[in-house]
Amino acid sequence: MQTTETALLILLLVAFVIYRQFRTRPANKPLVLIIGGVLFVGGIASGGVVDPLNPTLSVALFGVEALVAVALGAWRAATVRMWLDASGMAWAKGTSWTLVAWLASAAVRVGLYLAGQALGLAPSTGGVLVFVGLTIGVQGYLVASRGRTLARANGRSDTVTS
């Protein structure tokens, strides 16, 4: 797949994920985990995550990117409003803070990309896919976990599954 096509695909998937997060949705159907997993695996499979000319530096930057992706996903998950309906079903919806966290996530990703460029690392579509897949997956997992915990606290452990 061409770099332009991959970038467009990433933007479309991220837009879809963000759109869904601002709609009321059951917390027990984490479609975003599947999307995150596909992006992550696609990024690893596409290669280019490690720059062969600067392997140590690129692995170090990849480690930083992975930690940042996890932290940003956890931050966005914490901004999602969750509640139980009358039947004990857990529901989730993004807040204005979720949007702020998404904007910060995009800015941080651009900053990491520019840092890699400044360090002389070759740009990698695979690295972007891994970052986006990891951050989306972590957020989806944590929101689903909060939903399960909320339902269990209400005595409805069978209501929310992942």
Side-chain angles (χ1 to χ4, degrees), residues 20 23-31 82 89-92 143 160:
R20 280 193 74 247
R23 304 202 33 99
T24 301
R25 66 197 185 285
N28 67 339
K29 296 183 181 176
L31 171 65
M82 300 195 69
M89 176 77 157
W91 293 85
V143 168
V160 180

Side-chain angles (χ1 to χ4, degrees), residues 26-119:
N28 67 339
K29 296 183 181 176
L31 171 65
V32 74
L33 285 175
I34 296 168
I35 293 171
V38 167
L39 288 171
F40 182 83
V41 170
I44 296 295
S46 71
V49 175
V50 177
D51 184 345
L53 299 176
N54 297 303
T56 304
L57 187 57
S58 63
V59 167
L61 184 61
F62 177 76
V64 169
E65 288 178 345
L67 289 172
V68 169
V70 169
L72 291 169
W75 177 32
R76 287 192 316 273
T79 67
V80 173
R81 179 176 171 260
M82 300 195 69
W83 68 95
L84 295 176
D85 65 12
S87 70
M89 176 77 157
W91 293 85
K93 184 175 182 177
T95 65
S96 57
W97 286 110
T98 309
L99 181 59
V100 169
W102 268 111
L103 293 172
S105 296
V108 168
R109 179 61 197 136
V110 168
L112 288 169
Y113 176 81
L114 293 174
Q117 291 279 5
L119 293 170

Side-chain angles (χ1 to χ4, degrees), residues 122-161:
S124 162
T125 303
V128 174
L129 285 170
V130 168
F131 180 92
V132 172
L134 188 56
T135 196
I136 286 173
V138 165
Q139 181 183 357
Y141 173 78
L142 291 175
V143 168
S145 293
R146 282 178 55 206
R148 283 191 300 274
T149 301
L150 192 59
R152 267 192 298 256
N154 194 44
R156 296 285 307 221
S157 62
D158 63 327
T159 304
V160 180
T161 59

